[in-house]
Amino acid sequence: MRTETYQVKGMHCASCSSTIEKTFKKVEGVESVKVNYGTEKAKVSFDPSKTNPEALSRQIEPLGYSLLVPTAREMGMSVDEHAAHLGVNQSKKEKLAEVVDMRSKVVSAIPLAAVSIFIMSWDILARYNAAPVMGEVTSEFFHHLLPLMATYTLFVVGKPYLLGFYRFLRYGKANMDTLIGIGTLTAYLYSLAVTAFEEVLKPFIDVSVTYYDVTIIVITFIALGKYLEARSKLKTGDAIEKLLNLQAKTALVMRDGKEVEVGVGEVKHGDLIIIKPGAKIPVDGVVAEGSSFIDESMVTGESMPVQKKVGDTVVAATINTSGSFIFKATKVGSETLLAHIIQMVEDAQGSRAPIQALADKISSVFVPITLAIAFLTLGAWLSIGTGLLGFSQALSYGLVSFVGVLVIACPCALGLATPTAIIVGVGKGAKEGILIKDAATLEKLHKVDTVIVDKTGTITIGKPTLVDIQNMSNLKSDELISVLASLEKKSEHPIAHAIVNYAQERNINAESVTDFESIQGKGLKGVVNGVTYYVGNAKLIKDLGVSFDASKIDLFTAQGKTPVILATQDNVLGFVMVADEVKTESKQAIVDLHKLGIKVVMLTGDDEKAAKHMASLVGIDDVIAHVSPQDKLEKIKDLQSQGKVVAMAGDGVNDAPALAQADVGIAMGTGTDVAIETAGITLLGGDISKLVKAVKLSKLTMRGIKQNLFWAFIYNIVGIPLAAGLFYPIFGWLLSPVFAGFAMAMSSVSVVSNSLRIKAKTL
Ligand code: ADP
Ligand code: MG
């Protein structure tokens, strides 16, 4: 089974996505398919032995769509190829061409619509004696000009709508273009019949009234709306393009002892790359020689340049400041962090938010229901209306209502409401260093009322240092440290780094360790020179049953320091204290979370007193200490069963199960080694204040979506009965199809611009 995402060409409305989905599902070998109208992408899972993208594309071509099947594949591609692979630049070019074509058609139609509006207004004013009746010659001239203008508008500008009608007749597939096609064609054909057979029809109907102006104006408005919508939709997706443009085009590589400039696609693993002052880092790698400060803001959002020395990781797209250095390429092409970020943003923008389900359901049944309502309306006018107003008048009103209902009922705005806001929201997040996995996560985040934070690395910097040594044995202090460091060398915990670094700085030798075992949430054990040692917290010592006066460590833990106790099976040999600093931004972030009505709980495996001290420094409400990773999971389940919506922010390494259990898992990426896949949200640069921004972004996006849905529904709920003439008997209101066209165009335009507003808001 293969899963691929393709750009879809030719989609013009929300119901197109369900049409394409249904068509693909019928194809043998297709397991699942999701088509997103907002991003114009189709995600298809299929069996490559039974079908292929080209065959799939042929299935939808008669319906007016096609798949763009990329040819470039996998690693080591140039920027353009990479973009092509992601379906970004390529489709952007095509979309631009489409927008230019739409614009020229709209521009040609606007003068015609203006003339029609002028004639229409004159006629109305003359009827109320507010303007002189048009002279015979002028009137004849205009009334012959109208059919010509209507013919051009309908067949040239309105071609997509006529094609929609044609596809409906041919394949039975209706979409919103079909509705507009039927509506405007009806007005046109009726008017044409009146013009052609004026004398024959005169005894039956009012031949002084034609609807050419309706055809012209409605098509112009809708084409204008579609053009404005397409233009703004181009803007909603520009976050990805900006990310792509971050990529360096070339790299200066050492080949056979010489510096050679090669395309970034040609860089291979292990290549030594020379970085001069001000140069862009072309791929991911590790510094091999020299050092410099690098501006990583484009991938981490961190504005301060970061120092890089031999052994440090550098990532593609970041910019060197004034130093120069050489690094070894470790990740190229689609393996780089930037490529992962782009892929993730793309996927998230194309994913469907749960809130969209309702809109999808409605727009898929909308078209047939609208057609039915339109015909019912016409029928009602002809039957009931004829009795009250006479046939001629009833036919006239019936036609107006028929066209009006078809035009106003377009579910376009409904289909655009959610995806456009999601695209803008996810893109805005990416710019701030907030990577969102999918639309569902973004949606869930705004409901979060409890945030659980890990202490080490989330609230604190996560780089503890050894600050105190208490030797309680007859070993020399260096020997004690040697044993400790030997054991800690095997551990990944931040505490371990503190001890190993301390030993290394003082050139204290490490011994070899056997039977190493890590004890979850407590510490570790191992054998050095034939002796079994235990290293860990007070809980570990208590479990061992070794006597230890715990009050000895109280003095330190009260200051927020963490004890690491070394013991054998029988004795405590001593302990060291490690201390970590609170991140500068932590305190403000907690204040801001509180302002958003979110309770913050610190969950840590650390000592309770130490944890409480750290919590009080930053203003955290609640501390749960001495918990194992498994307990963290249980604690989250507990909160969830109390009806809390819980987000968990952690380092994503030993917190993975808890991150998965939380409603929203937030990984604190350190910028270079991001665990992108494990969490719903990754905060690049490991900055907790971004969590506040992420919550605000979620609230902003959800508010945008709700406003969009509200307006899209209101247009239809009020518009359809109004256009059908339901209020005519009561208030004498009958909506002109011209206004229906205007309203429908405005509804789409207002939804897309409302989504774009999210971009401008500060978080
Ligand atoms: P946290 O991520 O909150 O620190 P852990 O479950 O990773 O939680 O660790 C819990 C506690 O176990 C630590 O605070 C520390 O006291 C002890 N511990 C874990 N690993 C080590 C280690 N390698 N050396 C010493 N103590 C450790
Ligand atoms: Mg941890």
Side-chain angles (χ1 to χ4, degrees):
M1 201 55 61
R2 208 166 99 193
T3 304
E4 297 275 357
T5 305
Y6 302 104
Q7 188 79 27
V8 185
K9 264 179 72 179
M11 285 175 76
H12 16 59
C13 73
S15 57
C16 295
S17 50
S18 64
T19 305
I20 298 173
E21 280 179 4
K22 274 184 209 138
T23 313
F24 280 173
K25 273 186 192 141
K26 281 193 210 127
V27 177
E28 206 196 317
V30 173
E31 192 185 66
S32 72
V33 49
K34 268 211 160 23
V35 180
N36 187 299
Y37 172 50
T39 54
E40 300 180 6
K41 293 247 158 74
K43 190 172 183 180
V44 199
S45 294
F46 60 95
D47 181 347
S49 66
K50 292 204 175 113
T51 186
N52 57 54
E54 289 79 13
L56 288 172
S57 183
R58 278 196 295 280
Q59 291 289 325
I60 52 171
E61 273 157 27
L63 306 174
Y65 317 108
S66 62
L67 293 185
L68 283 177
V69 183
T71 42
R73 290 245 157 263
E74 298 314 322
M75 306 186 337
M77 294 178 296
S78 76
V79 191
D80 291 342
E81 280 170 336
H82 188 73
H85 175 62
L86 294 174
V88 183
N89 273 352
Q90 182 189 21
S91 71
K92 174 119 186 178
K93 259 186 224 150
E94 302 216 358
K95 271 191 206 158
L96 265 175
E98 219 175 292
V99 171
V100 169
D101 180 53
M102 282 166 112
R103 185 178 55 198
S104 62
K105 286 192 175 140
V106 169
V107 167
S108 72
I110 284 176
L112 309 187
V115 172
S116 312
I117 291 173
F118 172 73
I119 304 171
M120 194 166 75
S121 324
W122 192 308
D123 276 349
I124 293 170
L125 290 176
R127 209 172 303 155
Y128 293 102
N129 297 324
V133 175
M134 244 184 245
E136 179 101 14
V137 179
T138 328
S139 162
E140 275 298 300
F141 170 70
F142 278 136
H143 288 103
H144 282 95
L145 187 64
L146 278 172
L148 290 176
M149 297 196 308
T151 307
Y152 168 79
T153 321
L154 182 63
F155 290 95
V156 179
V157 185
K159 196 171 151 202
Y161 316 121
L162 291 183
L163 283 177
F165 183 39
Y166 166 76
R167 283 195 290 268
F168 174 59
L169 296 178
R170 175 93 205 265
Y171 302 101
K173 298 253 162 51
N175 58 29
M176 68 137 290
D177 283 355
T178 315
L179 300 180
I180 292 169
I182 296 177
T184 51
L185 189 65
T186 306
Y188 177 80
L189 289 180
Y190 173 85
S191 310
L192 206 62
V194 170
T195 311
F197 307 107
E198 197 172 334
E199 295 307 316
V200 186
L201 294 172
K202 209 170 200 166
F204 310 105
I205 59 175
D206 179 2
V207 289
S208 71
V209 184
T210 58
Y211 298 104
Y212 294 118
D213 48 0
V214 168
T215 304
I216 298 168
I217 299 167
V218 165
I219 287 180
T220 306
F221 273 141
I222 290 175
L224 178 67
K226 289 240 157 198
Y227 160 67
L228 293 176
E229 174 194 319
R231 214 182 57 166
S232 343
K233 255 174 94 180
L234 277 180
K235 275 190 223 147
T236 61
D238 61 6
I240 292 238
E241 224 207 319
K242 289 210 176 108
L243 285 171
L244 273 171
N245 286 334
L246 288 177
Q247 174 111 47
K249 306 258 183 297
T250 58
L252 205 53
V253 183
M254 286 300 266
R255 292 268 161 91
D256 306 321
K258 270 183 282 180
E259 295 183 9
V260 194
E261 183 154 4
V262 299
V264 72
E266 288 162 42
V267 178
K268 290 191 244 350
H269 293 147
D271 270 346
L272 287 176
I273 296 164
I274 300 129
I275 298 296
K276 304 228 156 128
K280 208 176 242 188
I281 316 296
V283 296
D284 295 3
V286 181
V287 178
E289 208 182 302
S291 76
S292 183
F293 280 85
I294 294 188
D295 175 4
E296 295 194 319
S297 57
M298 50 298 291
V299 285
T300 64
E302 186 65 59
S303 55
M304 286 290 288
V306 186
Q307 191 180 15
K308 299 285 176 175
K309 294 183 298 238
V310 172
D312 287 342
T313 322
V314 293
V315 298
T318 56
I319 295 173
N320 184 23
T321 56
S322 54
S324 72
F325 62 94
I326 296 177
F327 79 94
K328 193 164 136 191
T330 54
K331 287 177 181 163
V332 301
S334 58
E335 308 158 347
T336 62
L337 176 66
L338 182 70
H340 278 293
I341 292 176
I342 293 174
Q343 192 57 57
M344 188 174 177
V345 173
E346 263 248 321
D347 286 351
Q349 288 188 329
S351 65
R352 229 176 267 208
I355 194 171
Q356 197 180 339
L358 178 69
D360 278 351
K361 218 176 248 167
I362 293 177
S363 44
S364 72
V365 294
F366 218 83
V367 172
I369 289 180
T370 306
L371 270 174
I373 294 178
F375 279 104
L376 269 176
T377 304
L378 182 62
W381 274 109
L382 289 180
S383 52
I384 307 166
T386 304
L388 301 171
L389 306 163
F391 176 73
S392 164
Q393 190 68 327
L395 176 66
S396 167
Y397 285 178
L399 269 177
V400 164
S401 309
F402 177 74
V403 178
V405 168
L406 290 179
V407 169
I408 208 163
C410 161
C412 232
L414 210 53
L416 289 167
T418 315
T420 52
I422 293 288
I423 291 170
V424 175
V426 169
K428 189 181 174 73
K431 258 184 234 154
E432 301 268 359
I434 300 164
L435 293 186
I436 299 155
K437 194 168 170 198
D438 51 24
T441 305
L442 187 58
E443 179 172 339
K444 239 183 280 161
L445 189 59
H446 88 289
K447 289 201 204 115
V448 162
D449 52 19
T450 310
V451 168
I452 295 187
V453 290
D454 187 30
K455 180 178 74 92
T456 318
T458 304
I459 294 300
T460 65
I461 294 171
K463 294 215 170 81
T465 49
L466 199 160
V467 292
D468 218 307
I469 303 171
Q470 298 286 321
N471 191 348
M472 294 154 68
S473 68
N474 40 26
L475 293 171
K476 283 194 215 135
S477 272
D478 277 6
E479 286 167 351
L480 189 86
I481 296 297
S482 170
V483 172
L484 262 177
S486 309
L487 290 160
E488 292 290 15
K489 251 195 167 152
K490 305 245 165 199
S491 167
E492 288 286 303
H493 203 277
I495 289 177
H497 294 300
I499 295 168
V500 172
N501 285 346
Y502 181 87
Q504 269 170 2
E505 278 163 22
R506 281 157 191 80
N507 294 319
I508 297 173
N509 286 336
E511 313 276 339
S512 65
V513 177
T514 56
D515 300 308
F516 178 86
E517 215 175 286
S518 127
I519 306 165
Q520 254 207 0
K522 289 173 197 155
L524 49 87
K525 71 181 250 202
V527 178
V528 180
N529 292 331
V531 185
T532 305
Y533 291 100
Y534 293 82
V535 180
N537 51 22
K539 212 158 126 193
L540 179 81
I541 303 306
K542 208 170 148 202
D543 289 356
L544 271 178
V546 177
S547 75
F548 176 60
D549 179 7
S551 67
K552 283 198 164 106
I553 56 171
D554 284 357
L555 182 71
F556 299 100
T557 53
Q559 297 165 348
K561 292 170 190 165
T562 304
V564 178
I565 309 164
L566 175 68
T568 61
Q569 216 102 37
D570 324 295
N571 282 309
V572 169
L573 303 178
F575 59 90
V576 299
M577 300 304 295
V578 298
D580 197 0
E581 263 171 77
V582 167
K583 285 185 195 170
T584 43
E585 65 270 15
S586 293
K587 193 169 179 177
Q588 187 58 43
I590 306 299
V591 171
D592 291 341
L593 283 172
H594 284 162
K595 269 191 210 148
L596 290 167
I598 294 172
K599 191 179 155 136
V600 184
V601 180
M602 186 161 105
L603 213 52
T604 177
D606 205 347
D607 179 88
E608 181 161 1
K609 281 211 186 72
K612 280 206 162 131
H613 177 79
M614 291 308 219
S616 71
L617 286 182
V618 294
I620 287 179
D621 325 273
D622 215 345
V623 179
I624 304 165
H626 277 317
V627 284
S628 68
Q630 183 56 33
D631 291 343
K632 289 186 185 174
L633 185 90
E634 294 304 324
K635 186 66 205 170
I636 292 173
K637 278 191 187 159
D638 256 16
L639 286 165
Q640 284 171 331
S641 68
Q642 292 163 28
K644 300 262 191 262
V645 185
V646 182
M648 159 94 200
D651 51 27
V653 183
N654 66 0
D655 295 326
L659 289 186
Q661 174 63 39
D663 295 286
V664 179
I666 300 165
M668 311 295 291
T670 47
T672 47
D673 53 346
V674 194
I676 289 182
E677 283 80 19
T678 53
I681 290 182
T682 303
L683 303 178
L684 290 179
D687 181 348
I688 178 103
S689 61
K690 282 191 188 142
L691 174 55
V692 181
K693 288 188 175 184
V695 174
K696 284 186 184 164
L697 180 66
S698 168
K699 287 190 193 269
L700 210 58
T701 310
M702 290 316 291
R703 198 170 63 208
I705 290 176
K706 282 176 191 161
Q707 287 164 344
N708 285 349
L709 285 175
F710 173 79
W711 285 110
F713 273 116
I714 283 291
Y715 270 110
N716 286 310
I717 288 167
V718 177
I720 294 179
L722 190 61
L726 209 62
F727 302 126
Y728 181 78
I730 318 164
F731 307 111
W733 292 351
L734 190 59
L735 187 72
S736 156
V738 170
F739 284 103
F742 179 72
M744 114 100 243
M746 281 306 107
S747 71
S748 298
V749 172
S750 59
V751 159
V752 179
S753 9
N754 191 42
S755 294
L756 279 173
R757 278 191 335 147
I758 297 173
K759 221 175 173 171
K761 292 262 165 66
T762 42
L763 292 177

